[in-house]
Amino acid sequence: MHATTKGHIIQLDGIRFIAVALVLIDHFYSAVNIIPYGKLGVTIFFVLSGFLISRILLKSKETYEPQPEGFKKYIRKFLIRRTIRIFPIYYLLLIVLFILNVPPVREKFAWLALYGTNIYIAVYQTWLGSSDHLWSLAVEEQVYLFFPFLIFFVSRKNLIPWLAVMGAASVLLRFYFYFSGKDWSVSYVTMPACLDSFALGGLMAWLQLYKKEVFLKLFDKTWPVVLALIGWILMQYWNKSYDNIHNVVDVVIDRLVSSIFSFFLIGRAVTGYGGAMKYFLENPISVYLGRISYGIYLYHNFIYNHYHSGPNHPTVRLLHKIYRNIPSLEGSLTFEACLFSLLTIAVASLSWHFFEKPINSLKDRYA
């Protein structure tokens, strides 16, 4: 495992880059894309989040459980560190969007500010324009409301059965939503229907901390990752065999298969890929883009959204200006995707260096 002195696993930054790149490819090629790269990218983030949060909480529990008022210290540390990392950039963005009156932020500000985007989408079965993607951040925040309690108050031995029940219940809930005729978005965005991803991440953390030999047997080879990827590809062919795009495979099975692939992809990165994959995940560009992936994800839909960026949107106006000067580029989806990606990375970089990184340094006080 290639990690820093603070325990930061280097290759996981590369995994974050893969996840956010899949989202960008999906969203910036929306006009022609038929493969759900974005859904896979979000699932990778969910499994990775489940792993990292469970790992942090399990280690913190070991420290604070024996102490007087241990739970109070444990939960305080978790909440402060999560708040420092997640909230500042999120609420800064909402304030800027509110001031600029970017729809539908003013109209739905309470839902967005309270991390209820996914609840709004599920209840009203409608999306929120350029703010659509914030549903996944809402899911993560809702998981953080109960996960610390689960890990602290459930014994080490009983945690795995709890995670297994949680994951199985999540899949069954998606089956229920599908066969009861709910819109596909309900299964996609509701937090309980996403928990198989977080449960697998929690299982990975538990194995790494308490069953190291089992962890190494599972993740010290790359062939399970390849096999799981083949399974994901075969699932896409199965999905395409249905006339209805939001069929049982898409609505119920996809997240489970994607989570299993993510489980092996991430687990192998924890033990450390070799060869070309090691170079890809550890090269400075991948590591940097992975490090700023939260900002990339947060900002990208406002830089450009295929369905909601109208002719007066600054990026669209810039694009038309380029086309007037270089007509041969007009209609090139690759050029457009590269431009949108570069603009997103530029904004995320400014955000990281001048806002996020200085604030994140405060977390060291609660290490």
Side-chain angles (χ1 to χ4, degrees), residues 215-233:
F215 186 87
L216 288 174
K217 285 181 180 178
L218 271 175
F219 300 119
D220 69 345
K221 298 288 190 296
T222 303
W223 67 262
V225 183
V226 176
L227 192 63
L229 177 59
I230 292 171
W232 184 83
I233 293 169

Side-chain angles (χ1 to χ4, degrees), residues 61-312:
K61 177 183 177 179
E62 291 176 355
T63 301
Y64 292 112
E65 190 178 32
Q67 298 181 14
E69 298 188 326
F71 176 73
K72 183 178 178 181
K73 297 174 184 176
Y74 158 93
I75 198 69
R76 178 176 176 270
K77 175 181 176 180
F78 174 77
L79 292 176
I80 290 174
R81 288 177 63 87
R82 283 292 87 194
T83 297
I84 289 171
R85 177 67 189 104
I86 301 298
F87 286 177
I89 180 179
Y90 182 81
Y91 287 111
L92 173 67
L93 177 66
L94 289 189
I95 291 168
V96 171
L97 295 173
F98 185 93
I99 292 170
L100 296 177
N101 196 21
V102 175
V105 174
R106 287 189 182 178
E107 296 86 345
K108 311 300 179 189
F109 189 80
W111 291 95
L112 296 168
L114 295 174
Y115 282 93
T117 312
N118 63 327
I119 298 173
Y120 179 91
I121 293 168
V123 169
Y124 296 102
Q125 296 180 25
T126 185
W127 293 83
L128 286 168
S130 57
S131 301
D132 285 346
H133 64 305
L134 301 182
W135 74 267
S136 64
L137 303 181
V139 166
E140 295 210 18
E141 287 302 313
Q142 289 157 21
V143 169
Y144 297 161
L145 291 177
F146 76 90
F147 230 64
F149 296 88
L150 175 71
I151 288 182
F152 192 88
F153 291 110
V154 174
S155 69
R156 181 192 301 182
K157 184 176 75 171
N158 291 329
L159 183 60
I160 297 307
W162 274 83
L163 291 174
V165 169
M166 189 172 79
S170 181
V171 177
L172 291 174
L173 182 62
R174 294 201 298 272
F175 269 111
Y176 168 75
F177 284 151
Y178 179 78
F179 287 108
S180 64
K182 299 287 186 184
D183 185 75
W184 71 274
S185 60
V186 178
S187 294
Y188 187 55
V189 305
T190 50
M191 182 271 288
C194 299
L195 287 178
D196 45 341
S197 302
F198 291 92
L200 281 169
L203 170 62
M204 195 191 316
W206 189 90
L207 289 172
Q208 193 213 9
L209 292 174
Y210 307 123
K211 295 289 182 181
K212 289 183 173 61
E213 290 183 4
V214 176
F215 186 87
L216 288 174
K217 285 181 180 178
L218 271 175
F219 300 119
D220 69 345
K221 298 288 190 296
T222 303
W223 67 262
V225 183
V226 176
L227 192 63
L229 177 59
I230 292 171
W232 184 83
I233 293 169
L234 291 175
M235 183 191 63
Q236 302 310 315
Y237 282 101
W238 184 17
N239 188 12
K240 299 306 176 187
S241 68
Y242 287 84
D243 293 330
N244 176 19
I245 186 173
H246 297 305
N247 53 71
V248 68
V249 178
D250 176 72
V251 175
V252 180
I253 307 299
D254 181 280
R255 178 167 281 138
L256 177 61
V257 174
S258 298
S259 296
I260 292 170
F261 166 65
S262 303
F263 177 77
F264 286 105
L265 177 75
I266 295 164
R268 184 70 180 102
V270 174
T271 60
Y273 285 93
M277 191 65 169
K278 172 184 171 69
Y279 172 78
F280 177 80
L281 293 177
E282 294 187 13
N283 81 80
I285 295 175
S286 296
V287 169
Y288 175 72
L289 294 176
R291 198 158 290 162
I292 67 169
S293 59
Y294 177 44
I296 291 174
Y297 183 82
L298 197 59
Y299 296 126
H300 82 278
N301 238 23
F302 303 106
I303 299 297
Y304 179 78
N305 182 294
H306 174 72
Y307 298 103
H308 304 289
S309 296
N312 291 323

